[in-house]
Amino acid sequence: MGFFDDETEFNMPLEGRVEAIAKVKGLGKYAAEYQVDNLCYAVLVTSEIASGTIRSINTEAAMQAEGLIDVISHLKKPSVPGFADETKIKESKFGLPVFHTDKIYFKGQPVALVIAETLEEATYAATLIKIEYTREPFEVDFNKAKDKIDLKPAGKERGDEKAWSDSPFYVDQEYTIAAEIHNPMEMHATIAHWYADDKLRLHDKNQGVNNVQKIFSGLFGMPVDNIQVISEFVGGGFGSGLKVWPHALAAVLGAKQVKRPVKLMLTRQQMFYSVGYRPASWQRIKLGADKDGKITGVLHQAKNGCALYDQFSDGITRVTRLIYQFDNLKTENAVVPLNLSAPTWMRGPGDCTGDFAVESALDELSYQLKIDPIQLRYKNLALEKNPETGLPWSTNFLKEAVEKGAKMISWNLRKSTPGAVTEGDWKIGYGMAVGMWNAGRNKAGAGIKMTIDGNIVLQTAMTDIGTGTGTGMVNIMHERSGISRNKIKIELGNSDLPPAGSQGGSTGLSSISGAVAAVSDALKLKLAEYASISNEKFKNAVVTDIILSDNGIFYKKEGEDFLSYQDIFTKNNLKVVEVEASSEAGEEKKKFSFCSSAAHFCKVKVNTKTGKVVVDKMVVVVDGGKIINEKPAANQISGAAIGGIGMALMEKMSVDEKLGSIIANDLAGYHFPVNADAPIIEVSFINKPDVNLNPSGAKGLGEVGIIGAAPAIANAIFNATGKRFRNLPITPETML
């Protein structure tokens, strides 16, 4: 299998992303686009009830259909050692044991897989499957079910709740957020191919090929190296690609059953219940302050929906422990099992949800205190140390981000009295909020292949989920090695390449940047070792002694002790120089805490007659360490902020309480922001490196771009109208 960069010429002028030409030409493949010989097609048959058991499955008519190859269900399927019994199913932590139970947990649950020669034949045959069920009562309404579930402590309590119970100023309110669907443009798909009895190849839409490899290795009791997973590009993930979902296992079982490669691609409707979502949530914030605006204490309680078979907690109260110096703090969580499919992490998971409640409560408190919302935050930000661990922040420029954002939005035009500014039928208001995310770094590997002409192929198993991973890798290697960008090609998203963690949780570039730096240094030392045959000065050289160019290697400074790659390769009889290296966090994580942060500001217009809310201007200023590639970084932030607009104003997964069905489950019925719903997001970066986190100084960006967006909008609506909304989304109906 080739890579997207295979047909790109070396020494071409590089403009924009390294994969841009390949994507335009269609050379960059997504999971469903790979051509595999002898391929057949699979379609899922899904449950028509929300709870119960399967009594019978009649496949007789389907088996007579033209092109039909086979049908898989819990009655007929290949064995999965990891699902051999109930104990192993629980130990696998896979979630839904697809085709290994007659129990129905939610409407839309996969109950059979139809495999045929063509997609059309499989789709038709699926309609001929007749299933009888025993129905049981079900619950899909989060708001009804949540009151039956008790809260439990979440994290260590700080201080004493009694110490601030008589604070002169306080907010004690409840907040709810509707469930939201990821809805990436690319549907999830898997092509599974058992090319030997114990060897499996997967083309799969996921955000981490090594994770998929590990999961299937465990389920089938196979060596990890016997499983190849390819996911070169992902057309939007937002968290939906961080887990291995039932459809992927279904495709693997299908291919094993028919002994041919099988392609299974979800429909848009199936995406709504097959690959997770941000769960519905309830929160209570009780926040106290003294007359000067110092927060005396906080109680944060939260519940989120989950599946009966997957007790997923979104970690909603986590963010409360991170941003502010709350000396008295108590947090409690609970999960609410429902007859729905499993939720999962969605961009800014947990923290995005929790931040809405915290930042809304702080804004409400600022009006009580008659203090500017910015000044209230300045009085309480934990800028020196992580309030949870006590470790000093390696870098934390959140206050600087707030100051810059206030200037960009012209915060001085904001009126402190709500509803004070009117333009015709429109009320005008300003709002702000801040957000933070733990900046992380995982172990990651990278490899280099160099040829005699100085051309380089830079490799990693990490995939590109649309964030510009390959371009970032090229930029880092160029800076680290001195070799021109147009001498470097990229291979990624393949488990046969040096292993790396998943692209998610704002750890991708932070992790791979360390690996690229390490492998660049390894290349320098390897070339110096070969060069020492001709020049002894290179024999004991250290990394800082070596300078690389497009044509050769220098010792200590350019112009002296130079050897060309031509000489090195010829004298050592080399065709290619290969090096591999990995990198991970070290002792620095014991000395420092690491964070990315952002300040969101917005100006809104609210129509007094229609209830329509228009985000007229939005500014996001981010402390994300050193910015490796500014255009993709800004794209990341603007896309995340627009996701926050959807969260605040329109996104909602609707469920029919009588049938248990997800309704409006397509891109027409499910409302999310398009170009007409968002202004041009004005993005700015502090752009100061965090040298303790990784060699590049870059921190994660993907999460903080959304975390403060929804509360900033809700706070601006209050400033415009005097109406405080604590339930999302805020639609025209609720406005009126």
Side-chain angles (χ1 to χ4, degrees):
M1 188 209 81
F3 293 87
F4 77 92
D5 232 1
D6 289 351
E7 297 187 33
T8 305
E9 298 290 336
F10 280 108
N11 300 313
M12 287 180 60
L14 281 184
E15 295 182 12
R17 298 192 182 197
V18 296
E19 78 277 11
I21 293 174
K23 283 184 174 178
V24 169
K25 288 185 173 182
L27 303 175
K29 301 296 185 187
Y30 296 85
E33 296 182 316
Y34 288 90
Q35 300 298 314
V36 180
D37 291 340
N38 202 28
L39 186 67
C40 52
Y41 296 81
V43 168
L44 288 171
V45 179
T46 58
S47 167
E48 296 178 356
I49 67 169
S51 179
T53 55
I54 301 171
R55 287 211 314 267
S56 66
I57 300 178
N58 187 331
T59 63
E60 185 176 346
M63 294 301 293
Q64 304 303 313
E66 185 176 350
L68 195 283
I69 300 173
D70 212 338
V71 177
I72 291 176
S73 70
H74 74 284
L75 301 173
K76 177 186 177 184
K77 81 280 183 182
S79 64
V80 178
F83 287 170
D85 53 48
E86 289 296 325
T87 300
K88 288 189 175 182
I89 287 174
K90 289 180 181 179
E91 290 174 349
S92 74
K93 297 181 180 179
F94 182 79
L96 180 70
V98 64
F99 306 147
H100 283 74
T101 179
D102 62 353
K103 175 70 176 172
I104 299 300
Y105 296 100
F106 62 94
K107 189 168 184 178
Q109 176 179 323
V111 292
L113 184 76
V114 176
I115 307 167
E117 294 292 345
T118 68
L119 176 60
E120 293 78 9
E121 288 168 337
T123 301
Y124 172 68
T127 67
L128 303 178
I129 304 288
K130 303 302 179 185
I131 303 176
E132 293 184 350
Y133 302 93
T134 299
R135 297 174 183 267
E136 296 175 4
F138 62 88
E139 181 60 82
V140 294
D141 190 323
F142 170 77
N143 291 319
K144 288 182 180 178
K146 66 178 173 55
D147 295 333
K148 304 172 187 175
I149 306 297
D150 294 330
L151 290 157
K152 296 179 181 180
K156 185 179 179 181
E157 186 174 349
R158 293 184 213 151
D160 186 352
E161 191 174 352
K162 295 178 182 178
W164 58 281
S165 58
D166 59 350
S167 299
F169 297 91
Y170 71 93
V171 171
D172 190 349
Q173 298 289 353
E174 296 183 12
Y175 305 82
T176 65
I177 303 176
E180 299 173 63
I181 304 296
H182 295 90
N183 267 326
M185 289 301 292
E186 179 201 10
M187 266 84 80
H188 280 249
T190 303
I191 300 175
H193 180 198
W194 291 88
Y195 58 97
D197 288 343
D198 62 346
K199 291 188 177 181
L200 173 65
R201 181 179 296 118
L202 295 173
H203 299 277
D204 182 63
K205 175 175 178 170
N206 67 79
Q207 293 174 233
V209 294
N210 293 128
N211 178 55
V212 178
Q213 192 183 34
K214 178 182 176 182
I215 295 297
F216 281 111
S217 170
L219 287 177
F220 286 92
M222 296 166 54
V224 171
D225 291 343
N226 284 18
I227 302 171
Q228 182 187 23
V229 184
I230 300 160
S231 183
E232 191 174 31
F233 293 119
V234 173
F238 316 123
S240 68
L242 289 172
K243 289 183 70 172
V244 177
W245 296 103
H247 74 270
L249 177 55
V252 170
L253 292 173
K256 196 168 188 65
Q257 177 75 13
V258 302
K259 295 181 171 54
R260 286 174 58 179
V262 168
K263 179 193 286 190
L264 173 59
M265 183 173 180
L266 298 180
T267 65
R268 178 59 66 182
Q269 288 73 26
Q270 289 171 344
M271 289 282 287
F272 276 69
Y273 53 76
S274 298
V275 292
Y277 51 91
R278 191 193 306 281
S281 63
W282 166 91
Q283 298 176 71
R284 178 195 173 199
I285 291 278
K286 182 180 178 183
L287 198 66
D290 63 23
K291 62 182 177 59
D292 296 319
K294 176 63 179 173
I295 304 299
T296 53
V298 62
L299 170 67
H300 190 179
Q301 300 170 318
K303 299 178 182 181
N304 68 257
C306 69
L308 290 168
Y309 58 88
D310 188 337
Q311 303 289 290
F312 173 81
S313 174
D314 211 14
I316 293 170
T317 61
R318 182 175 52 227
V319 71
T320 316
R321 300 175 164 272
L322 199 62
I323 305 175
Y324 298 103
Q325 189 57 55
F326 295 143
D327 294 327
N328 298 296
L329 176 147
K330 184 176 182 179
T331 55
E332 297 177 316
N333 281 359
V335 297
V336 181
L338 300 168
N339 288 102
L340 295 173
S341 61
T344 191
W345 307 284
M346 185 169 172
R347 204 171 195 170
D351 297 53
C352 183
T353 301
D355 197 67
F356 167 67
V358 174
E359 291 296 295
S360 295
L362 281 169
D363 192 73
E364 188 165 350
L365 191 61
S366 74
Y367 284 91
Q368 284 188 30
L369 290 159
K370 295 181 171 56
I371 296 177
D372 186 295
I374 291 177
Q375 297 304 317
L376 179 60
R377 285 165 175 81
Y378 285 166
K379 290 175 182 286
N380 294 285
L381 287 172
L383 295 172
E384 301 299 325
K385 295 180 179 180
N386 182 331
E388 181 75 348
T389 65
L391 291 174
W393 295 116
S394 179
T395 62
N396 182 352
F397 299 110
L398 180 53
K399 185 177 180 182
E400 190 173 330
V402 173
E403 292 170 346
K404 190 172 185 179
K407 291 179 181 178
M408 292 174 64
I409 200 74
S410 301
W411 187 254
N412 59 300
L413 298 178
R414 170 189 174 271
K415 302 299 181 183
S416 58
T417 302
V421 181
T422 301
E423 295 178 1
D425 292 334
W426 298 89
K427 290 283 190 178
I428 311 299
Y430 291 79
M432 61 86 58
V434 300
M436 187 177 282
W437 183 262
N438 278 306
R441 175 188 178 189
N442 299 321
K443 186 174 182 180
I448 286 175
K449 291 183 178 180
M450 179 185 238
T451 52
I452 193 170
D453 48 13
N455 292 333
I456 282 174
V457 175
L458 180 59
Q459 304 171 311
T460 184
M462 186 174 286
T463 192
D464 187 338
I465 62 173
T467 55
T469 303
T471 305
M473 291 171 63
V474 168
N475 289 349
I476 292 165
M477 182 167 185
H478 164 67
E479 290 188 12
R480 191 78 175 189
S481 68
I483 295 171
S484 297
R485 292 179 178 85
N486 60 7
K487 300 283 285 183
I488 305 168
K489 284 188 176 186
I490 294 294
E491 292 179 354
L492 43 64
N494 189 317
S495 62
D496 286 350
L497 301 176
S502 297
Q503 180 74 277
S506 293
T507 59
L509 185 60
S510 176
S511 302
I512 198 61
S513 66
V516 173
V519 79
S520 298
D521 291 347
L523 177 64
K524 287 183 178 182
L525 295 177
K526 191 73 170 179
L527 290 171
E529 178 187 335
Y530 288 128
S532 65
I533 293 176
S534 301
N535 185 336
E536 288 194 353
K537 286 186 178 182
F538 287 95
K539 189 170 186 179
N540 297 310
V542 296
V543 168
T544 52
D545 293 336
I546 306 302
I547 299 172
L548 301 183
S549 72
D550 290 353
N551 303 309
I553 180 172
F554 295 90
Y555 181 75
K556 290 202 172 179
K557 61 180 181 179
E558 293 188 26
E560 298 181 10
D561 299 307
F562 172 80
L563 281 174
S564 69
Y565 299 133
Q566 186 86 30
D567 289 339
I568 291 172
F569 275 71
T570 301
K571 290 187 177 180
N572 288 275
N573 194 29
L574 300 171
K575 291 185 178 180
V576 64
V577 172
E578 296 188 53
V579 289
E580 185 174 327
S582 64
S583 173
E584 60 186 315
E587 291 298 309
E588 69 275 5
K589 64 183 179 182
K590 298 178 181 179
K591 300 175 183 177
F592 301 100
S593 280
F594 301 95
C595 66
S596 298
S597 57
H600 285 77
F601 289 83
C602 68
K603 174 187 176 185
V604 302
K605 298 165 64 176
V606 182
N607 192 290
T608 57
K609 292 182 177 179
T610 66
K612 181 177 182 178
V613 178
V614 173
V615 180
D616 192 53
K617 184 174 184 178
M618 179 171 274
V619 168
V620 190
V621 183
V622 182
D623 171 23
K626 181 180 178 181
I627 305 304
I628 302 298
N629 194 356
E630 190 155 341
K631 282 185 179 180
N635 288 344
Q636 274 263 73
I637 299 302
S638 61
I642 291 170
I645 293 174
M647 183 182 199
L649 301 179
M650 57 193 73
E651 293 197 51
K652 179 181 181 180
M653 182 177 82
S654 299
V655 183
D656 187 315
E657 295 178 32
K658 293 182 179 180
L659 300 176
S661 309
I662 297 176
I663 54 179
N665 56 341
D666 54 37
L667 298 188
Y670 180 86
H671 293 174
F672 57 88
V674 296
N675 288 348
D677 299 308
I680 300 297
I681 310 297
E682 298 180 36
V683 179
S684 184
F685 298 102
I686 300 301
N687 203 9
K688 294 181 180 179
D690 188 334
V691 296
N692 297 310
L693 181 59
N694 57 52
S696 71
K699 300 195 283 189
L701 295 173
E703 318 302 333
V704 294
I706 189 174
I707 289 175
I713 294 168
N715 294 340
I717 290 171
F718 177 79
N719 184 250
T721 66
K723 296 181 180 180
R724 178 68 64 181
F725 292 94
R726 303 182 185 90
N727 306 306
L728 300 183
I730 306 167
T731 63
E733 293 81 9
T734 57
M735 278 296 311
L736 294 174

